[in-house]
């Protein structure tokens, strides 16, 4: 059963979009990284599967001994399950097989407070994050050999609050000023591990949707738990002039 789009998610997403639009003018650093997500606690009991995704962030100030903290925005996407099968287009059009793909996903978005009073080629830092997770499962149908789907739906979605936070920056290069606005000043390798505490949410996992043999309708087996995660990141951060 598809749930309504949660009001809390709309509010947090609006804050994120406003922040990102403002940081196009004022951001002092930005990063993009690949991410591995490991469910923890109750979440792991239901989803014993490693998730993969990407995340990115912007911050407003450069950190160092004179200014040991900065604020910004962090957002990420994680896929924690995929299912794929071939089925007839319908009971009456059984000659045409189609591909049915279902994905279980999590999008998180956080206000970021980062502390790093260090200077030099290696800079440890501590992240404090407050925001939320949007968990959703989608199904799509497409013709065999065609990448574009012709039917799709969101089977389930829910929202949970999320918070947590550290990392290590290793300088890769200093760049010369170019005179262009928002030109990178330095490039850093970004290594970090986060424990993100997530409040309770209702979600689907692999194998949670089946077909009733009598009615031929979809049967949903929902899971409900806290949504704690450990995320491991590898990426690049650019600091701007």
């Amino acid at each position: 059963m598809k749930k309504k789009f949660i009001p809390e998610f709309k509010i947090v997403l609006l804050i994120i979009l406003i922040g990102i639009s403002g940081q196009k003018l004022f951001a002092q650093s930005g990063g993009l990284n690949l991410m591995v997500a490991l469910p923890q606690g109750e979440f792991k009991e239901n989803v014993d599967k490693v998730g993969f995704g990407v995340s990115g962030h912007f911050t407003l100030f450069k950190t160092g001994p004179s200014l040991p903290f900065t604020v910004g925005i962090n957002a990420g996407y994680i896929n924690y399950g995929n299912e794929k099968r071939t089925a007839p287009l319908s009971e009456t059009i059984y000659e045409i097989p189609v591909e049915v793909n279902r994905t279980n996903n999590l999008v998180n978005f956080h206000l970021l407070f980062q502390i790093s009073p260090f200077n030099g080629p290696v800079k440890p830092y501590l992240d404090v994050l407050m925001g939320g997770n949007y968990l959703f499962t989608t199904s799509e149908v497409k013709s065999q050999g065609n990448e574009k789907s012709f039917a799709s739906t969101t089977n389930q979605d829910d929202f949970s609050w999320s918070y947590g936070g550290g990392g290590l920056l290793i300088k890769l290069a200093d760049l010369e000023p170019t005179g262009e606005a928002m030109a990178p000043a330095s490039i850093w390798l970004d290594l970090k591990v986060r424990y993100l505490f997530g409040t309770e949410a209702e979600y689907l996992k692999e194998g949670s949707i089946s077909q009733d043999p009598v009615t031929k309708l979809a049967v949903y087996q929902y899971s409900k738990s806290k949504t704690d995660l450990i995320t491991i990141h590898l990426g690049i951060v650019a600091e701007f002039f």
Side-chain angles (χ1 to χ4, degrees), residues 49-191:
K49 183 179 179 67
V50 176
F52 298 92
V54 295
S55 70
H57 74 272
F58 294 95
T59 60
L60 292 177
F61 317 111
K62 296 179 184 178
T63 58
S66 59
L67 184 63
F69 69 90
T70 186
V71 294
I73 290 171
N74 184 94
Y77 165 80
I78 298 166
N79 173 269
Y80 67 90
N82 295 283
E83 296 175 77
K84 183 177 181 179
R85 62 187 175 89
T86 301
L89 181 59
S90 71
E91 289 186 18
T92 57
I93 311 177
Y94 51 83
E95 306 95 334
I96 303 177
V98 295
E99 292 182 2
V100 183
N101 299 314
R102 184 158 53 248
T103 60
N104 302 310
N105 312 285
L106 183 152
V107 174
N108 58 28
F109 28 82
H110 297 94
L111 299 178
L112 169 66
F113 184 82
Q114 189 176 94
I115 303 170
S116 181
F118 307 102
N119 207 355
V122 178
K123 293 174 60 175
Y125 63 86
L126 173 66
D127 283 342
V128 180
L129 300 105
M130 296 186 66
N133 299 316
Y134 177 59
L135 296 91
F136 62 103
T137 296
T138 60
S139 296
E140 65 176 17
V141 181
K142 59 185 179 182
S143 304
Q144 288 187 313
N146 191 341
E147 292 299 318
K148 187 175 181 180
S149 64
F150 62 83
S152 64
T153 186
T154 300
N155 306 108
Q156 165 71 8
D157 62 352
D158 205 355
F159 176 91
S160 68
W161 294 107
S162 174
Y163 58 96
L168 184 70
L169 290 175
I170 301 173
K171 184 176 288 189
L172 298 179
D174 285 317
L175 305 178
E176 294 295 329
T178 63
E180 298 180 3
M182 297 298 293
S186 56
I187 305 296
W188 301 74
L189 178 66
D190 188 17
L191 306 171

